[in-house]
Amino acid sequence: MENEIRSLLGTALGELFGPEAAAVNLVLEVPRDRSHGDLATNVAMSLARTLKKPPRKIAEELVAHLEGQDTFLESITIAGPGFINFRIGSSIWHHSLADILKKKTAYGRTHAGEDFPVMVEYVSANPTGPLNVVNARAAAFGDTLVRLFDAAGYKVASEFYINDVGRQIDLLGESLLARYEQVQGRGEGQIPEDGYQGEYLIELAQELDAKEIDASLADKSDSEKRDIMSRHAVEKLRAWQEKDLKAYGTQFDRWFYQHELYPQGVEDTFKLLQEKGLVEERDGAQWFRATQFGDDQDRVLIRANGDPTYFLADLAYHTSKESRGIKRSIDIWGPDHHGYIERMQSAMEALGFGRDWLEVLIVQQVNLLSDGKQVKMSKRKGEFITLQDLIEEVGKDAARFFFLQRRAESHLDFDLDLAKKENDENPVFYVKYAHARISGVIRKATEQGVSESQDADLSLLKEAPELALIKVLHRFPAIIASAAAQREPHRLTTYLREVAQAFHLFYHECRVISDNSDLTSARLALCRASQIVVSNGLSLMDISAPERM
RNA sequence: GCGCCCGUAGCUCAGCUGGAUAGAGCGCUUGCCUCCGGAGCAAGAGGUCACAGGUUCGAAUCCUGUCGGGCGUACCA
């Protein structure tokens, strides 16, 4: 119906003030204060300057013009400095309700994204240890964003990029080798100074098949031994991460190994930049002229020792995405990588993708609070709260909901004690409770032999809380579309709280199961529609919608 | 030094491409169950939107500067 009003307004503007006025960017929004109507536009104010007329005068002419027509609008009023407020007739809302009941699990899905191919790359944690809480936040954010894109009609793919090449991985191999020697009782294993001290490597070393490992290590050089152990460590730890993520509800279309880019992808990308004249040698290394694209310094592609940098591999990786048809790569990075954005976008421009082809979202840090005190984490020393710990501690649903209540870039205080509480202090229960309550009413009705009816007379829903609830439910597809377009999954939690609130108010004011069987049918239909929205919304976040609790 | 993020109620945070009297949850005060789930509903107290300028019909929102907090500034990844 927004579109209908849009076209009504557009036509009226053209007829009254000419094509220039009709071309204005029409802003139509739901007023914060519901007494202002269902939708409002500020068009009279924004045209005041070009038309050289006072806004209220423009509004008056516009309204007079619209009122001469037969529309579905119940009223059109002018308010404040020149807002035009529209009130929509209740029959339209009843149609909207019928639409929800018809679409069921598909309600909320739109084609807003027009099949635009995007890729969301997220978590991408180093395979050097278990996942931490920032990874958990990024995972909830990323997989919800992926589902939002899907629901909003984008063509979306998801990937986890595994940094299985480089010095960190060498250190990991050396660390595991040392642990292995220790576990085998040879005692000569010494973890490198800046190696990985975490106890999980002991566990991992114990799981290794000694016979097989000893055979594969025999007669090998130190670096070969290290590489063998690196491969074991990466595969074990990666599988471990995948298992934890799956338990958390996060899955990827593909796990992309950095080593898949060697040597071909890396060489090709390097040559391409070279052909464009964007590479120069300095101090024995090969540098990308990033400063030509706005970066504050040039960046090394190939080190003096001949090894490609992580940066070059990352360029090859993004080239791979582009050649697979991705039109927009949305990378979700941790807070320690924001200094890397400019460099990457400069390179994307150099490669001809355009700087905006790569969109980076930074998921900010998480402060875990317990007993009001901050829980400190250090990956190297192996002291941290892992994703697994978190799920065990507060549960998957609570963890997800907490992460998804906040914007990605806001620093998050995560109160473990609060998330653990199974009472009304914990916001996740409010929405789940609404779902359980709705389910309970529908169940009760069925038990009493009052079943739902396909042809319930929805026009019987005339009470203020009933219409208010329908209006909230009606916004769901727009919420999904805007959450996807703005990359802001937190709009979903905010919205679902609104839905729950509107439902609770309706429930409190309007008795569903009564002697009036027609009204009972209509209200049961409204309950069902509410259940559909809450359930669809929670499932976008992979949070359960319980029938009872 | 330079760059990025953040600064909104006692606490944790929303505030949609600038819009009408700045909101929610928790906490605090007070009402509401003979009746479909009270894990609920209603009412109240609580604000110089860090500060100062600017842009305009209109700024929490955009621009500049200042002050706080965090992070980053590698031939690490």
Side-chain angles (χ1 to χ4, degrees):
Chain A
M1 66 190 76
E2 290 82 357
N3 291 334
E4 280 87 341
I5 295 181
R6 231 167 245 288
S7 73
L8 275 176
L9 274 170
T11 314
L13 285 169
E15 286 169 14
L16 284 171
F17 309 114
E20 200 181 325
V24 74
N25 178 27
L26 261 180
V27 176
L28 203 61
E29 59 185 11
V30 179
R32 196 166 31 211
D33 185 341
R34 277 217 309 280
S35 70
H36 291 132
D38 296 317
L39 285 167
T41 180
N42 63 352
V43 69
M45 273 128 45
S46 51
L47 280 176
R49 169 165 291 210
T50 47
L51 295 179
K52 291 180 182 142
K53 279 187 188 183
R56 285 199 69 107
K57 182 88 173 71
I58 298 172
E60 279 161 23
E61 290 178 35
L62 207 46
V63 169
H65 189 84
L66 288 173
E67 276 178 339
Q69 304 173 21
D70 181 29
T71 66
F72 56 88
L73 295 169
E74 194 177 278
S75 75
I76 311 171
T77 53
I78 301 170
F83 289 100
I84 302 176
N85 296 327
F86 303 97
R87 200 172 294 276
I88 291 159
S90 58
S91 68
I92 298 292
W93 295 117
H94 297 138
H95 274 108
S96 167
L97 178 56
D99 183 54
I100 300 172
L101 295 165
K102 196 178 73 192
K103 289 186 173 144
K104 300 190 175 69
T105 55
Y107 179 64
R109 300 185 65 88
T110 61
H111 300 289
E114 298 177 328
D115 287 325
F116 191 77
V118 300
M119 175 178 289
V120 182
E121 182 214 320
Y122 62 107
V123 185
S124 297
N126 289 336
T128 51
L131 298 167
N132 60 33
V133 287
V134 176
N135 298 140
R137 183 179 185 185
F141 182 88
D143 69 48
T144 301
L145 189 58
V146 167
R147 282 185 289 266
L148 281 167
F149 276 130
D150 178 60
Y154 297 73
K155 201 171 136 198
V156 58
S158 62
E159 283 189 7
F160 185 121
Y161 181 61
I162 307 153
N163 312 140
D164 63 338
V165 175
R167 177 160 166 71
Q168 311 267 21
I169 299 301
D170 293 345
L171 280 171
L172 180 70
E174 285 168 26
S175 303
L176 179 60
L177 185 59
R179 288 301 193 194
Y180 178 71
E181 300 288 357
Q182 288 170 4
V183 166
Q184 294 303 315
R186 293 172 197 144
E188 56 208 66
Q190 184 77 33
I191 294 188
E193 181 75 7
D194 43 0
Y196 292 87
Q197 312 279 346
E199 289 193 5
Y200 56 89
L201 283 186
I202 301 176
E203 209 175 301
L204 216 152
Q206 283 164 342
E207 285 173 19
L208 292 172
D209 183 327
K211 242 187 253 172
E212 201 181 301
I213 295 294
D214 284 342
S216 68
L217 293 183
D219 305 323
K220 293 292 195 316
S221 71
D222 283 353
S223 73
E224 285 169 326
K225 284 183 183 173
R226 179 197 67 201
D227 289 347
I228 288 167
M229 294 312 265
S230 290
R231 279 205 304 281
H232 282 292
V234 165
E235 206 30 63
K236 290 263 188 191
L237 291 167
R238 192 208 65 81
W240 185 9
Q241 292 179 347
E242 183 171 16
K243 183 171 131 275
D244 285 355
L245 285 168
K246 204 169 173 184
Y248 187 60
T250 305
Q251 296 193 60
F252 296 87
D253 293 334
R254 180 169 176 183
W255 292 69
F256 196 108
Y257 289 83
Q258 186 178 342
H259 79 244
E260 294 178 56
L261 300 161
Y262 294 77
Q264 200 60 48
V266 167
E267 280 174 16
D268 290 349
T269 302
F270 180 73
K271 278 180 196 152
L272 182 60
L273 287 172
Q274 211 166 29
E275 283 161 16
K276 287 172 182 276
L278 298 171
V279 177
E280 70 178 38
E281 191 183 331
R282 208 187 302 157
D283 305 328
Q286 302 291 332
W287 298 71
F288 163 57
R289 299 187 212 256
T291 46
Q292 283 188 20
F293 300 91
D295 199 0
D296 56 7
Q297 51 184 297
D298 291 339
R299 306 292 180 174
V300 173
L301 295 168
I302 299 180
R303 291 192 276 265
N305 68 7
D307 288 344
T309 57
Y310 174 86
F311 175 53
L312 176 56
D314 214 3
L315 298 188
Y317 176 44
H318 284 79
T319 301
S320 153
K321 293 184 189 179
E322 204 270 348
S323 66
R324 285 182 278 153
I326 297 303
K327 292 269 193 284
R328 179 71 59 109
S329 181
I330 297 169
D331 291 15
I332 299 169
W333 295 350
D336 49 340
H337 283 69
H338 69 237
Y340 190 62
I341 298 174
E342 182 58 44
R343 184 189 321 191
M344 281 296 288
Q345 288 187 324
S346 296
M348 295 301 106
E349 195 180 342
L351 289 167
F353 306 162
R355 147 177 311 265
D356 293 340
W357 180 87
L358 172 64
E359 194 176 309
V360 179
L361 306 176
I362 296 293
V363 168
Q364 277 295 350
Q365 62 196 43
V366 176
N367 285 325
L368 285 178
L369 302 176
S370 179
D371 254 356
K373 283 180 305 204
Q374 202 179 113
V375 184
K376 278 283 180 194
M377 287 168 286
S378 158
K379 198 168 193 175
R380 285 297 168 77
K381 291 185 188 146
E383 302 164 359
F384 39 68
I385 294 208
T386 65
L387 167 63
Q388 203 177 0
D389 294 338
L390 188 66
I391 296 173
E392 280 168 19
E393 194 82 1
V394 310
K396 160 178 171 277
D397 287 353
R400 286 183 156 275
F401 197 88
F402 268 62
F403 288 134
L404 291 169
Q405 281 187 106
R406 310 295 185 227
R407 279 150 60 235
E409 62 268 30
S410 73
H411 299 220
L412 171 63
D413 280 355
F414 194 116
D415 185 337
L416 290 167
D417 305 321
L418 176 61
K420 265 188 287 196
K421 284 186 186 167
E422 301 207 346
N423 63 25
D424 56 359
E425 290 173 44
N426 188 340
V428 67
F429 285 94
Y430 185 72
V431 175
K432 295 177 102 173
Y433 176 69
H435 188 272
R437 199 180 208 187
I438 295 165
S439 305
V441 178
I442 295 174
R443 192 165 52 234
K444 179 100 178 177
T446 309
E447 283 165 12
Q448 295 187 359
V450 194
S451 59
E452 294 171 75
S453 158
Q454 292 295 324
D455 42 32
D457 183 1
L458 302 179
S459 69
L460 296 172
L461 302 171
K462 293 180 287 209
E463 302 291 329
E466 294 169 331
L467 288 168
L469 176 55
I470 296 171
K471 289 173 189 182
V472 172
L473 299 179
H474 172 78
R475 283 168 42 215
F476 188 48
I479 294 290
I480 292 178
S482 72
Q486 303 295 319
R487 292 83 163 105
E488 292 187 343
H490 75 273
R491 293 187 190 199
L492 215 42
T493 49
T494 307
Y495 170 72
L496 287 178
R497 283 213 307 247
E498 266 188 74
V499 175
Q501 190 171 24
F503 177 80
H504 286 312
L505 179 59
F506 153 72
Y507 179 87
H508 193 257
E509 300 284 319
C510 307
R511 193 178 169 80
V512 177
I513 301 169
S514 69
D515 295 341
N516 183 336
S517 65
D518 288 343
L519 187 58
T520 300
S521 294
R523 286 182 172 166
L524 276 174
L526 182 50
C527 286
R528 179 62 75 184
S530 306
Q531 188 191 45
I532 288 168
V533 170
V534 173
S535 162
N536 291 1
L538 286 174
S539 92
L540 284 167
M541 300 188 281
D542 200 67
I543 292 175
S544 66
E547 301 266 326
R548 303 166 198 267
M549 47 194 289

